[in-house]
Amino acid sequence: MTAELVRGQNHTLPQTRLEIRVSAGTPVIAGATLGDERGTVRGAERIAHPGAPQLPGLEASQQAAADHRLAVDLEALPAEVHRVTVLLALPVGVGGPVRFGAVPAPFVAVTGLDGTEIATFTLTGLDAESAVSALELYRRQGAWKVRAVGQGYAAGLAEMLADQGVADAAALAGSIQEAVTRGLARSVAPPPPRTPEGDRVRQANGPADHRLPSASPATPAAQPSEPLTDPAPPGPPPAAGGPISYAHPRRQHAAPPSPPPTAPPAQPGQAAQPVAGDATGWSMDERLYNQIWGMFEDLARAVAAYRSAVDFAESRMSQELDQALSDPRNRIGGAGDHARAQARAKRDELTARAREALDRDLGQLAAEAAVVEPALPAAYAGWGNPVWHAHRVPMEIPMALRIGDLHLPERADLRIPLLVRLPLERGMWVDSGRTASEAAALMDSDRLRRLAMETAVAHVARLLAVYPPGEFAVHVIDAAGAAAGPLAPLVEAGVLAGPPAAGPGGVSSVLAHLTRRVDLVQMAVRAGAADSLPPDLDTAEQLLVVNDFPHGFDDRAVTQLRYLADEGPSVGVHLLMVADREDATAYGPVLDPLWRSLLRITPVADSHLADPWVGHAWTYEPLAIPPGSRVLEQVLTAVAAARRAAGR
């Protein structure tokens, strides 16, 4: 089955001799670069392009065209090559389009030599870019995979080559364009455009047109699962001096990134030993982040392949039984029993082979997880990791924060950390309802609400611990005063922006304060006058924790809360709701956008999260503080001490 990829998604390659087919609807330059483990291209001799189309294991087209076929033999590549990046660029100076936004979305397919498609990728969402890294073939722990990249470059081919570390990229890009111009001058005029029925280019209206089906945001009464957020959202390349985009493993910098750790050589007949940080990235934290994401993808695909094989075995058994028993003479007696036994035996054999392959893959992932987990920094680590006992409040925020673990029923002990990017891109909702899951339904309502608030307090502590002193402020609304016990560690440590707000007056005061902050920052940003903010405005990231919603909220307060959920994240104001949706049923569909805007998590294990590729229902497991441990109090004490030392 063909894998239709979206940006950032990868797929295991089943063979090493491949063709990469490009359909663009307009003449484009197609080539490829050969990079090392860090993606660095060590010179022009590692680039296949129209002026030099042949390299060991790689052959590209000799001129610009609307359709291309690149031949790749991964086994024939030099041993030091770990990444093959397929590049597309528009010819310059020939009177054609100058940006990909003006042409149909290019379509790229990785196929076998017989033309069977293995993976496809439609490059949607391009605009001013005139060159793009379409996809890459990369080697990870001895296996080759393909990843959809779709990283565009507005400055063209020279910028793209420079981003891969090519020396004198501008001169090389000029020579490639010159070779293309000579080739076009010798070529005949292209034929008229084909009819839509014959057009290989897949038209698309937006970046989601060919996205694999995924579950939509969860509601307890409707859909059981919601999509996980992509940890590396695609986007345009960063402007000089601007914020860094993690859409592509390479980033602009004056110095090359430090190489990732390398595994010791494997003994003959044995698999390579996993190492922590075995992924691309600028820092160890980024490499671990990308490695965790790769482990998540590998687990999703391994289980998807197993489940598909089991379904096929069951379907084949049913077909064979139907065929054998279609003759009435075989429905009774020894012939029918023999046919049933044979069909079941084949089913069991196929299932056993699939399970063997799954166990092999899961064993490799478990070995990798065992190496990665102890190496995680505090922001990525669970509460039981010793790194928390030596934690010091950092001077800059990390890439992401761990908020729980994910696992699948095929191997429940294989846990993948669930990381969310920082700063937070959406708020969170700790569901305290008994209808949230089977485990919650068996618990006492009061106990479940307390557990939900304790979960929220633990998340608050983690956020405070990974932000520099004074750069993260926490406000609490506890209208009924029901969460005094769970909130005690935060209150006693003195890390809240103020006492927990109680009663309608307290609710109104906190919401008015944060709404004013959102309004002022938005106006300053739109006017380009960030230095004109009032001196009393706290520019730190703000988190509002709301317990027992909607108790104490009138219609005005509900409207303000929705406003903060919609507009707050873009200016550094975030929500952490602890609520049972059933308590807010009186508002009807008015609050549906609020629930959908938040990432729903639970205080007990629950299978409500779905990945956007194969639709697995992942079990979310909240991070638990080890029994008897005082790590939470120790962390909050360290946060308070760091704030005092910084004068905050």
Side-chain angles (χ1 to χ4, degrees):
M1 184 177 68
T2 303
E4 291 188 275
L5 306 180
V6 297
R7 279 185 176 87
Q9 187 180 354
N10 65 22
H11 182 71
T12 301
L13 293 172
Q15 57 201 75
T16 57
R17 299 188 67 186
L18 308 163
E19 279 191 351
I20 299 174
R21 303 184 181 186
V22 178
S23 296
T26 190
V28 298
I29 304 169
T33 62
L34 304 181
D36 59 17
E37 291 180 339
R38 295 173 293 174
T40 303
V41 179
R42 301 295 183 183
E45 65 276 9
R46 291 295 175 89
I47 305 174
H49 56 83
Q54 292 185 338
L55 295 177
L58 179 63
E59 182 174 357
S61 303
Q62 299 187 32
Q63 66 180 31
D67 297 292
H68 293 270
R69 290 191 180 186
L70 284 70
V72 181
D73 186 352
L74 298 174
E75 292 182 345
L77 294 174
E80 60 271 23
V81 172
H82 288 258
R83 185 179 302 169
V84 180
T85 302
V86 177
L87 57 90
L88 305 177
L90 293 171
V92 298
V94 296
V98 296
R99 61 186 185 91
F100 276 108
V103 302
F107 171 79
V108 184
V110 180
T111 75
L113 297 183
D114 59 355
T116 303
E117 290 185 347
I118 300 170
T120 64
F121 176 41
T122 303
L123 285 78
T124 58
L126 299 175
D127 187 9
E129 299 86 352
S130 59
V132 60
S133 294
L135 53 78
E136 59 185 21
L137 313 179
Y138 66 100
R139 180 159 38 193
R140 186 171 186 265
Q141 296 185 353
W144 282 95
K145 299 184 178 183
V146 56
R147 177 188 289 122
V149 180
Q151 176 72 50
Y153 297 85
L157 190 58
E159 182 185 17
M160 178 167 57
L161 295 176
D163 194 34
Q164 297 186 33
V166 178
D168 202 9
L172 178 58
S175 66
I176 294 174
Q177 293 284 3
E178 183 179 355
V180 171
T181 302
R182 291 197 302 267
L184 288 176
R186 295 192 301 267
S187 64
V188 298
R194 288 178 287 176
T195 62
E197 291 77 12
D199 194 355
R200 182 67 177 113
V201 178
R202 298 191 178 183
Q203 304 295 334
N205 296 324
D209 284 358
H210 293 287
R211 187 178 296 274
L212 294 180
S214 64
S216 56
T219 64
Q223 295 154 317
S225 56
E226 69 176 69
L228 294 169
T229 304
D230 189 343
I244 295 172
S245 168
Y246 294 97
H248 191 271
R250 299 252 327 149
R251 285 188 272 160
Q252 300 287 346
H253 201 276
S258 55
T262 56
Q267 298 298 322
Q270 296 183 353
Q273 296 299 312
V275 296
D278 182 19
T280 57
W282 181 255
S283 64
M284 187 61 174
D285 286 3
E286 186 176 353
R287 291 197 290 269
L288 287 169
Y289 177 89
N290 290 332
Q291 185 173 15
I292 290 171
W293 185 247
M295 292 165 60
F296 171 78
E297 291 179 335
D298 290 345
L299 179 55
R301 296 203 174 280
V303 172
Y306 168 71
R307 292 179 181 178
S308 177
V310 171
D311 290 343
F312 171 77
E314 293 287 347
S315 174
R316 176 174 173 173
M317 181 185 70
S318 298
Q319 292 176 2
E320 291 180 348
L321 287 176
D322 290 344
Q323 183 178 1
L325 301 179
S326 60
D327 187 345
R329 293 171 296 180
N330 293 336
R331 294 177 184 174
I332 57 175
D337 293 340
H338 180 68
R340 293 186 186 92
Q342 276 192 324
R344 293 191 180 101
K346 290 181 181 178
R347 186 270 316 272
D348 294 342
E349 180 186 0
L350 291 174
T351 302
R353 287 163 54 188
R355 185 71 209 194
E356 181 182 356
L358 175 67
D359 289 341
R360 181 185 64 245
D361 293 340
L362 295 185
Q364 293 175 352
L365 283 171
E368 187 173 7
V371 172
V372 169
E373 187 70 36
L376 295 178
Y380 300 175
W383 285 116
N385 194 312
V387 70
W388 278 107
H389 296 285
H391 177 64
R392 296 293 182 269
V393 178
M395 298 307 295
E396 61 180 18
I397 66 172
M399 283 183 59
L401 181 72
R402 185 174 183 171
I403 63 169
D405 292 328
L406 299 173
H407 62 84
L408 292 171
E410 279 74 9
R411 183 159 179 176
D413 64 326
L414 179 55
R415 308 293 176 89
I416 305 296
L418 174 57
L419 305 178
V420 295
R421 295 294 296 269
L422 293 180
L424 294 172
E425 298 173 351
R426 62 191 296 200
M428 290 186 286
W429 163 33
V430 183
D431 192 346
S432 60
R434 294 186 63 195
T435 59
S437 66
E438 294 181 4
L442 300 175
M443 297 182 67
D444 175 75
S445 179
D446 292 338
R447 182 188 173 199
L448 184 61
R449 290 177 185 271
R450 181 181 179 89
L451 187 59
M453 194 61 200
E454 290 174 348
T455 301
V457 168
H459 288 315
V460 171
R462 295 177 72 87
L463 284 164
L464 288 168
V466 301
Y467 267 82
E471 292 192 15
F472 195 82
V474 180
H475 308 261
V476 176
I477 290 179
D478 184 23
L487 287 172
L490 299 177
V491 175
E492 293 172 0
V495 293
L496 297 179
V507 173
S508 176
S509 175
V510 172
L511 291 177
H513 170 73
L514 293 177
T515 301
R516 172 179 176 268
R517 184 192 184 280
V518 171
D519 290 339
L520 290 175
V521 175
Q522 280 188 339
M523 287 189 292
V525 170
R526 290 167 183 165
D531 55 349
S532 64
L533 290 170
D536 63 335
L537 186 77
D538 185 2
T539 57
E541 296 276 319
Q542 308 286 311
L543 177 70
L544 173 59
V545 182
V546 180
N547 181 48
D548 208 16
F549 176 82
H551 184 86
F553 280 72
D554 56 19
D555 290 346
R556 175 180 172 82
V558 170
T559 301
Q560 288 177 313
L561 190 68
R562 285 190 54 189
Y563 176 73
L564 293 178
D566 293 339
E567 304 294 336
S570 63
V571 291
V573 177
H574 314 282
L575 289 183
L576 176 53
M577 302 272 291
V578 182
D580 178 1
R581 187 168 181 174
E582 296 297 319
D583 293 341
T585 53
Y587 288 94
V590 172
L591 290 181
D592 285 352
L594 173 64
W595 305 118
R596 286 196 297 266
S597 69
L598 304 174
L599 173 63
R600 175 176 171 256
I601 56 179
T602 53
V604 293
D606 182 42
S607 303
H608 69 278
L609 294 175
D611 65 72
W613 303 297
V614 291
H616 292 323
W618 293 79
T619 297
Y620 167 80
E621 192 91 30
L623 296 175
I625 297 176
S629 173
R630 295 190 57 81
V631 63
L632 182 68
E633 290 77 7
Q634 293 173 4
V635 167
L636 292 175
T637 300
V639 170
R643 288 188 171 187
R644 289 193 298 270
R648 301 298 181 93

